[in-house]
Amino acid sequence: MTPVSGFRVDELDVRVFATEKQLGEAAAADAATAMQAAVEKRGRANVMLATGNSQFAFLDALTARSDVPWDRVTGFHMDEYVGMDDTHPASFARYMRERIVDVVHPSAFHYVDGTNDATSECARYATLLREHPLDLCCLGVGENGHLAFNDPPFADFEDAHDVKEVELDEASRRQQVGEGHFRGLDDVPRTAITVTIPALLRAARVLAIVPEARKANAVRRALEEPIATSCPASVLRRTPQATLYLDRDSASNISNA
């Protein structure tokens, strides 16, 4: 799928597609290539995937492909609400089970357990990540510029932890309501377990999949404002193995789209 435009911002490759569907198909093709390369090199591919409504087109395209070696893939996801079990409609573990595991049946998939003691769960998941260095990380960008649940301004580009418990920014919680996962703000948990920014960007290949007009301001800030934790996604600009995939809507506020 050919982008309508492409350019670099610092070390970040940026590609703009006409539609969300085309964006999803292009990102899925690149993800498949990265997984194939890892399997050819080591016999396995370790992959981290994001949740959220913005990932639907990408995940639909990825799971529809016949060239992804899912039987050699170990999967991870990025976050889960503290105290939430995987039967809750808003659970990210449930999202992954329904959209990935039950569809393509990867060799293994490691879920963040929101019902476990948060400190113990962070340690458990961090150990798994160290044991399975990521070949591919497919992430999104929040409306407030967050990566996973690393919210501004407390995101840490040099975080010593790979997984930690965080208090959620109100903008993140409002986004979850806006996406239809909760009835109101008071229903959204205030804390979550998240993979940190250094652990996300340690992956050999990073694909940032960011469609939709509601992400346009975060995209503009990430690409045109200084690299700072006020917009965590700006750190992608110093991630040479990363590609940012936009559609016309999400790219609508940037000057050189």
Side-chain angles (χ1 to χ4, degrees), residues 135-230:
D135 300 292
L136 174 66
C137 178
C138 302
L139 49 80
V141 171
E143 293 174 23
N144 65 352
H146 71 210
L147 300 178
F149 268 141
N150 297 281
D151 283 330
F154 303 109
D156 186 348
F157 295 161
E158 309 296 334
D159 205 309
H161 301 283
D162 284 353
V163 187
K164 67 181 182 181
E165 182 180 4
V166 294
E167 185 172 346
L168 297 178
D169 179 69
E170 184 174 315
S172 283
R173 296 171 65 233
R174 289 192 181 279
Q175 178 177 327
Q176 302 305 314
V177 175
E179 291 186 3
H181 304 302
F182 297 92
R183 291 177 298 177
L185 188 63
D186 289 342
D187 298 313
V188 185
R190 294 181 178 273
T191 58
I193 294 168
T194 188
V195 176
T196 63
I197 288 174
L200 294 171
L201 302 188
R202 198 178 298 141
R205 188 81 170 87
V206 177
L207 311 185
I209 294 118
V210 191
E212 304 181 19
R214 64 193 175 94
K215 303 296 182 72
N217 187 54
V219 168
R220 179 195 61 77
R221 295 181 63 211
L223 297 183
E224 298 186 353
E225 293 185 4
I227 297 173
T229 56
S230 55

Side-chain angles (χ1 to χ4, degrees), residues 64-157:
R65 296 184 65 93
S66 61
D67 59 347
V68 178
W70 291 108
D71 61 335
R72 301 292 185 90
V73 170
T74 297
F76 295 86
H77 64 120
M78 298 179 181
D79 38 31
E80 184 60 284
Y81 298 105
V82 171
M84 182 173 287
D85 67 41
D86 64 1
T87 64
H88 192 287
S91 164
F92 299 131
R94 176 174 176 167
Y95 178 113
M96 284 295 158
R97 185 179 69 245
E98 293 180 347
R99 293 188 171 273
I100 299 295
V101 176
D102 289 350
V103 177
V104 293
H105 310 290
S107 174
F109 200 98
H110 297 289
Y111 300 101
V112 179
D113 185 354
T115 65
N116 194 8
D117 170 76
T119 300
S120 299
E121 184 62 9
C122 290
R124 183 189 74 86
Y125 214 68
T127 297
L128 286 169
L129 290 175
R130 286 194 297 271
E131 292 172 347
H132 300 81
L134 293 177
D135 300 292
L136 174 66
C137 178
C138 302
L139 49 80
V141 171
E143 293 174 23
N144 65 352
H146 71 210
L147 300 178
F149 268 141
N150 297 281
D151 283 330
F154 303 109
D156 186 348
F157 295 161

